[in-house]
Amino acid sequence: NDTDYLRRLGEYHLHLGQTDKAKETWNRAVATPAGDKYAELAGWYEAHEFPEEALQSYQKALELQPNREWSLRLAALHHSLGQEAPALEIWKGLAGAEAAAADRAEVANILESYNLHKEATALWEAAAAQEPETLEYKLALAQNLVKVERQEGAS
């Protein structure tokens, strides 16, 4: 049950066109449930373009062990599958009331990369208010406000 062996064996099955056998082999990596094992499995599914399976694996990983990076991957997968609402819920959860300004800025950048400028506005505002001395957040907020056509707050 060495995970590297299971990954390579699953890839071999994929090469032979045996998708079900590959997935069955990979799933052996989580015989003993652990968050990091499910996240590793999710990465394999992602790498081989099985997004639904990757979603399920990241969700199981997060049920067992909260992890910011896995949450970000899960949100990105939701978005790539056209599931914007769950993606936004995860992203906004990562930038909630207890989040640091840097975490809010990171999520705002992610939202902007998906052209979700309106959704990013509140995060930039919160980051800039939380750390008013950080000019990067103020500049990003101003640029965002121009994108969402709210120039009055951009100066």
Side-chain angles (χ1 to χ4, degrees):
N1 283 336
D2 176 63
T3 55
D4 189 50
Y5 171 77
L6 292 173
R7 179 190 51 80
R8 288 183 288 136
L9 182 59
E11 289 171 347
Y12 174 74
H13 288 303
L14 271 182
H15 178 73
L16 296 176
Q18 301 169 337
T19 303
D20 290 339
K21 187 81 169 164
K23 291 178 184 179
E24 179 184 311
T25 301
W26 287 337
N27 283 325
R28 287 175 34 201
V30 292
T32 304
D36 59 332
K37 295 293 183 188
Y38 274 108
E40 184 176 21
L41 176 62
W44 299 346
Y45 281 135
E46 270 189 283
H48 295 286
E49 299 181 16
F50 296 108
E52 291 294 336
E53 291 83 352
L55 269 175
Q56 293 170 4
S57 295
Y58 276 126
Q59 288 169 333
K60 287 179 184 175
L62 289 165
E63 287 170 11
L64 294 169
Q65 178 183 342
N67 182 291
R68 183 174 178 78
E69 291 305 314
W70 302 342
S71 295
L72 290 171
R73 287 300 320 136
L74 179 62
L77 279 169
H78 274 298
H79 190 271
S80 71
L81 292 171
Q83 302 167 359
E84 191 170 295
L88 281 171
E89 183 178 326
I90 293 167
W91 284 321
K92 288 179 179 180
L94 292 170
E98 300 298 317
D103 292 337
R104 289 182 172 142
E106 178 186 18
V107 173
N109 271 321
I110 291 168
L111 293 175
E112 295 229 352
S113 74
Y114 289 111
N115 293 316
L116 298 170
H117 303 290
K118 288 182 182 177
E119 292 81 355
T121 302
L123 298 179
W124 284 125
E125 288 171 340
Q130 194 171 354
E131 288 187 13
E133 69 283 355
T134 305
L135 296 179
E136 177 185 338
Y137 300 157
K138 289 181 178 183
L139 176 61
L141 173 60
Q143 291 171 333
N144 172 272
L145 291 173
V146 169
K147 290 174 188 170
V148 296
E149 299 178 355
R150 276 185 43 202
Q151 284 85 354
E152 73 276 358
S155 57

